[in-house]
Amino acid sequence: MDATIRKADANDMAQVLRLIKELAVYEKEPDAVEVTVDDLIAYGTGDDAQFTCFVADRDGEILGIALVYYRFSTWKGRTIHLEDLIVRQQYRGQGLGMALYTEVIKYTHELGLKRLEWVVLDWNKSAVDFYEASGAHVMTEWNTVQMDAAAMKAFLAQKGLV
């Protein structure tokens, strides 16, 4: 596939959001996306960007993205978290995912960081196979834990803090 891998800019964020929504549908969470184009621009561009987004661009059409941000590990120090690696469905299997993934690994390595990490759904066998084939270790003994806004509010209310 003839596409350029580059960092996203503000003009890309509408297409980035479209891909995020496509991933939500694929992951069986079509109504879960709350982020907006304005959020993506505010937090993903400028000197204080909270994330970096790489895009696979072919003539102005964004065919895939890899969105990453810094985390801090008490064992390894600063690390990179790969939040999402998305390729539009009709372009999967053409090397774009590998090109984006390679760019993220290169970016992390060039920053001198000791770890790149991400989460993959256990039912997404093609993604698990893709990552394992690259040498990544899928850690099935760890569970991802999340608390949404309603659960946080209920917890704090139970403690008399809201």
Side-chain angles (χ1 to χ4, degrees), residues 1 18-19 22 58 61-63 87-94 96:
M1 174 61 52
R18 185 180 73 208
L19 278 158
E22 184 177 316
R58 186 183 68 201
E61 181 183 7
I62 305 304
L63 307 178
V87 174
R88 292 185 63 199
Q89 187 169 4
Q90 64 266 40
Y91 298 107
R92 292 181 188 152
Q94 299 179 28
L96 291 173

Side-chain angles (χ1 to χ4, degrees), residues 80-152:
I80 289 288
H81 181 83
L82 172 59
E83 180 66 17
D84 285 319
L85 174 61
I86 310 163
V87 174
R88 292 185 63 199
Q89 187 169 4
Q90 64 266 40
Y91 298 107
R92 292 181 188 152
Q94 299 179 28
L96 291 173
M98 181 57 78
L100 287 160
Y101 182 63
T102 300
E103 188 65 24
V104 168
I105 294 169
K106 180 179 155 208
Y107 175 74
T108 305
H109 178 74
E110 288 174 349
L111 289 170
L113 303 180
K114 295 180 177 142
R115 183 164 68 199
L116 168 63
E117 58 193 324
W118 61 96
V119 176
V120 62
L121 292 165
D122 61 356
W123 58 260
N124 191 346
K125 182 158 174 35
S126 63
V128 170
D129 292 347
F130 174 86
Y131 295 133
E132 287 180 332
S134 76
H137 175 65
V138 177
M139 303 169 69
T140 58
E141 62 274 10
W142 287 77
N143 293 306
T144 300
V145 180
Q146 296 179 339
M147 184 178 274
D148 66 16
M152 287 185 279

